[in-house]
Amino acid sequence: MKRNIALLLLGILPLPLGYALNFVILSLPSSSILLYAVSIGFLLLWVLLARRVSAREGRPIVQALLLSAFGLLMLLLVFYQELVMGRYWVNLLGAAPQLYFLPLLSLGFTLSNVLIQPFLPTLEMWLVYLLAWLLLFAAGCAGCFWKARGK
């Protein structure tokens, strides 16, 4: 039970990282190569974090879902604001989902351009956020399965 709560709480980590990355992007000149490096580095760290905090005897998919549960909540907020309201709130609940996925947006954009853009006339941001969450979940699964293998 303690481990499950720890997994849920650790799922919040991308939010302060996204806030810090937002500050860096707005303060310093940045390039797309740097943002790709941040995305890839973040995913690698997410794999290592998932491996570190998951239980060897637990179910890896469930543990990865627990680790990504807060991200799923952020994704639901994005879906509601984009698809239902058609705009983002101008408060913490409007900014939090965008900041949560900021470390993964460069990879999300690249994947959406390759996988989705050829089939749609315009790129929808909610699809980019969905791909970012899927990347986060896949990295969590990789770390949890790595730990379950016991190597």
Side-chain angles (χ1 to χ4, degrees):
M1 184 64 164
K2 269 175 126 176
R3 187 173 303 272
N4 292 345
I5 292 171
L7 287 169
L8 286 170
L9 291 175
L10 285 171
I12 299 172
L13 283 176
L15 187 58
L17 178 64
Y19 181 78
L21 185 59
N22 182 54
F23 177 76
V24 169
I25 288 172
L26 294 176
S27 301
L28 304 171
S30 62
S31 68
S32 60
I33 293 173
L34 177 63
L35 294 177
Y36 281 119
V38 167
S39 292
I40 291 169
F42 176 74
L43 283 177
L44 291 174
L45 287 174
W46 198 254
V47 169
L48 293 175
L49 176 73
R51 183 181 187 277
R52 175 82 171 111
V53 299
S54 65
R56 193 177 307 261
E57 67 279 348
R59 293 178 301 211
I61 296 287
V62 172
Q63 293 180 60
L65 271 173
L66 287 172
L67 190 58
S68 304
F70 188 77
L72 193 56
L73 175 65
M74 294 289 109
L75 188 63
L76 291 175
L77 274 172
V78 165
F79 285 171
Y80 179 75
Q81 291 176 80
E82 284 222 9
L83 300 174
V84 176
M85 294 185 58
R87 63 181 175 82
Y88 282 92
W89 294 318
V90 187
N91 59 18
L92 181 62
L93 289 177
Q98 298 174 66
L99 293 175
Y100 185 87
F101 292 112
L102 186 60
L104 296 171
L105 281 188
S106 60
L107 283 179
F109 274 118
T110 301
L111 285 176
S112 64
N113 284 333
V114 171
L115 301 174
I116 298 170
Q117 189 64 32
F119 306 106
L120 294 178
T122 60
L123 178 63
E124 300 287 336
M125 272 307 292
W126 63 270
L127 288 169
V128 176
Y129 287 117
L130 175 62
L131 286 172
W133 184 82
L134 288 172
L135 285 170
L136 192 68
F137 177 66
C141 284
C144 292
F145 275 107
W146 185 12
K147 177 77 170 250
R149 284 261 202 238
K151 301 278 177 178

